[in-house]
């Protein structure tokens, strides 16, 4: 997925904040609040893990797309976007994974 696609999805998510929850799935997530959004992210993460465990390549791609989508909703709800995550990945690019993890106190 290119940066442009992520940016277009993020723009669409922002536009859906103003939509009616009856007319827009995304608006219904926002209307449900942070806990509803977080539940969806957890659900999609679990489904992606199960697809990977089962060796279901098509399912893994589909569930990962759902996970990324719902993660973008989660970021948007917090006033963040894909550019924030991409900047963090760029920052980490030249850093040892072990060093980066240690700098965060060992959290994942």
């Amino acid at each position: 997925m290119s940066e442009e696609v992520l940016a277009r999805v993020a723009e669409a998510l922002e536009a859906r904040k103003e939509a009616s929850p009856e007319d827009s799935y995304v608006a219904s997530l926002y209307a449900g609040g942070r806990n509803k959004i977080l539940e969806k992210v957890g659900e999609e993460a679990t489904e992606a893990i199960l697809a990977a465990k089962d060796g279901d390549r098509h399912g893994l791609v589909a569930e990962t797309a759902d996970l990324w989508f719902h993660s973008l909703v989660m970021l948007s709800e917090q006033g963040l976007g894909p550019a924030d995550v991409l900047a963090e990945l760029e920052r980490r690019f030249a850093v040892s994974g072990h060093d980066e993890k240690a700098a965060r106190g060992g959290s994942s």
Side-chain angles (χ1 to χ4, degrees):
M1 184 177 276
S2 69
E3 286 182 51
E4 295 81 24
V5 172
L6 290 172
R8 285 184 11 229
V9 173
E11 287 172 18
L13 294 176
E14 287 300 314
R16 299 289 190 324
K17 284 182 176 178
E18 303 303 319
S20 165
E22 293 79 32
D23 297 331
S24 167
Y25 171 70
V26 172
S28 74
L29 288 173
Y30 289 128
R34 184 171 293 171
N35 284 344
K36 182 173 183 178
I37 294 167
L38 297 177
E39 286 172 11
K40 284 302 295 181
V41 172
E43 174 186 319
E44 300 303 342
T46 298
E47 290 173 358
I49 290 166
L50 292 174
K53 179 183 170 293
D54 293 343
D56 179 0
R57 293 168 51 92
H58 174 75
L60 177 57
V61 169
E63 296 302 341
T64 300
D66 288 346
L67 175 59
W68 286 13
F69 177 83
H70 288 88
S71 293
L72 289 171
V73 173
M74 176 179 61
L75 287 167
S76 173
E77 190 273 332
Q78 299 271 330
L80 299 166
D84 297 295
V85 177
L86 292 171
E88 177 63 12
L89 288 172
E90 181 69 27
R91 183 193 69 76
R92 293 181 186 187
F93 193 77
V95 178
S96 155
H98 294 296
D99 291 343
E100 195 283 325
K101 188 174 181 178
R104 289 185 289 135
S107 66
S108 40

